[in-house]
Amino acid sequence: MGYCSFSDMQLPDKTIFLIPVHNEEANIEPLLAEIRALYGSVPVCFINDFSRDRTCRVLRRNHCVYLDLSNNLGVGGAMQAGFRYAFEQGYDYVIRVDGDGQHPPSECVVLVERMMVGDVDMVVGSRFLGSGDYRSTWYRQAGIFWLAWTLSKVCRRTITDPTSGFQMVNRAVIGYFAHQYPVDYPEPEALALLSRQGYRFCEVGVSFRARRMGRSSIRQWGTIYYLFKVGIALLVDRCRAVDPRYDRSCAEEWV
Amino acid sequence: MTIPQMFTVVLGGLVCLASICGFWSKRTRRFRALVWLGLGLAMVYVGFRPHIIEYLGEDGTELRLRLVVALLSFIMLSVTLEAIRVSRMQERYAFLWLATGMLLFLGALSPLLAIWGPRLTGMSYGAIVMVVLFSFIIFVLFHVSVTISRLEANVAELVRSLALADERIRKLQCASEIRVHGKQGDQQQNAVTPEESAQS
């Protein structure tokens, strides 16, 4: 195992960073530089979700590995493409970092540390467990609170940050997500699906940063649609039977 | 005989003539020729015996309504069948259209349905037609929504496959370029060394 102490910021073998980007031309280079400085030549795969700016050109200029989607699929569709790439290329761990620079790569260590303890398939970085004081608009706070409450009820455990996209997953979950991943606003529903299919996950506290450039893809009306969509999805998923093809016990063969 | 009557008779005769000529010279199909012939004959008949229209008017609105519904549902049925025939529409999408068309057509034609329908449901014939059409529209919209969702999922899957294939091609291209350049370098080196050995 090529996994050493955390002082020199080593990641486990066969780890890949998946970074979904949509109109993030200004954020890519700083983020990439940060990852390179911290983790050296760890594989990084960008998923360009049909950006309308020069994102693709920036990726090509930096000789990045990237998936270029020919239509806008939303974060969920883009991430599923990334998970399929990681699955087909035989990676054991995926660290998902958002392309807007909100997730500091230095905090990945916390996720890796928890993952290496074992007994979980997915580690989610929660901004409400961490020390960093995260501020947002009141309606978004309320929405997150409501979602967290619902999701905690659905999963029968406490979930503090249901919308966090700062995650690390192992091979079993990569295989599951490569085959099945929610469409838009995927994070809460993905948690519910995982808990339904018998995968284990936990949250750890990390501190988030404010966006560097550009703006969030979820705006005011988006928040209402988000709540509606995710509420329906959680309810329906709860009523759906467990898919035997992607059960946790079946995931062992992908590992 | 009044002028409108004469006009109707002449026009009907022309329609009959045109349909027969078209069929004879094989420019019109049998079915269409028959429909046009029937229409022409009906016009001639109405022109000679206009009291039929008066009879329809006397009978009240319901019979006329049934005729209109029969005509419209017949058009709906024939257009749907034609769309299936020239393979623009798959059968499973045409099912709702055919079912509604048949229901309205039979309801309009058969006295049994037209009389017992209102008696059973307590609605007038026109209201029943409206209810059937409205629920048909709701069902069609629902069906379309389901279909669009499925198509969207298919498109997303295709886009993902395309992106993965695209990445693979880029990687292969890069690898082949490296190999070609590397080989050229090797060849140059190889080309130099034999000459040098020959000179020596």
Side-chain angles (χ1 to χ4, degrees), chain B residues 91-157:
Chain B
E91 280 79 359
R92 57 177 159 171
Y93 300 112
F95 174 74
L96 265 175
W97 290 84
L98 287 181
T100 313
M102 285 301 282
L103 190 65
L104 288 180
F105 192 63
L106 291 180
L109 287 194
S110 93
L112 201 70
L113 281 177
I115 291 167
W116 279 102
R119 278 193 194 166
L120 283 176
T121 55
M123 290 183 283
S124 68
Y125 178 72
I128 291 181
V129 170
M130 286 312 292
V131 167
V132 168
L133 277 180
F134 190 73
S135 46
F136 161 71
I137 288 171
I138 297 281
F139 276 130
V140 165
L141 285 180
F142 179 76
H143 190 204
V144 167
S145 300
V146 169
T147 310
I148 286 177
S149 305
R150 204 179 50 223
L151 282 180
E152 213 167 275
N154 290 355
V155 167
E157 198 55 40

Side-chain angles (χ1 to χ4, degrees), chain A residues 2 45 55 59 69 83 92 119 124 132-133 146 151 163 168 186 206-208 226 232:
Chain A
C45 179
T55 299
L59 290 172
L69 301 185
F83 282 122
D92 283 339
D119 82 345
V124 182
D133 50 342
W146 185 81
L151 203 57
T163 63
M168 179 171 187
V206 294
S207 53
F208 280 24
Y226 191 131
I232 296 279

Side-chain angles (χ1 to χ4, degrees), chain A residues 65-71 73 77 80-81 84-85 88-89, chain B residues 152 155-157 159-164 166-168 170-171:
Chain A
V65 174
Y66 65 97
L67 305 179
D68 201 15
L69 301 185
S70 54
N71 274 336
L73 298 189
Q80 195 178 351
R84 238 173 82 184
Y85 177 78
E88 285 177 8
Q89 301 289 321
Chain B
E152 213 167 275
V155 167
E157 198 55 40
V159 167
R160 276 193 285 275
S161 305
L162 189 65
L164 285 167
D166 186 47
E167 199 277 333
R168 212 171 299 147
R170 236 178 289 132
K171 197 180 273 177

Side-chain angles (χ1 to χ4, degrees), chain A residues 162-213:
Chain A
T163 63
S164 168
F166 196 20
Q167 303 158 347
M168 179 171 187
V169 302
N170 68 6
R171 179 83 183 153
V173 177
I174 294 174
Y176 177 49
F177 281 167
H179 293 97
Q180 203 170 49
Y181 200 62
V183 182
D184 37 23
Y185 310 136
E187 294 88 7
E189 205 188 331
L191 286 179
L193 283 174
L194 282 184
S195 119
R196 187 106 177 107
Q197 299 285 125
Y199 295 88
R200 300 151 304 175
F201 59 89
C202 72
E203 289 185 314
V204 291
V206 294
S207 53
F208 280 24
R209 289 186 298 222
R211 290 179 65 85
R212 270 208 208 95
M213 295 285 287

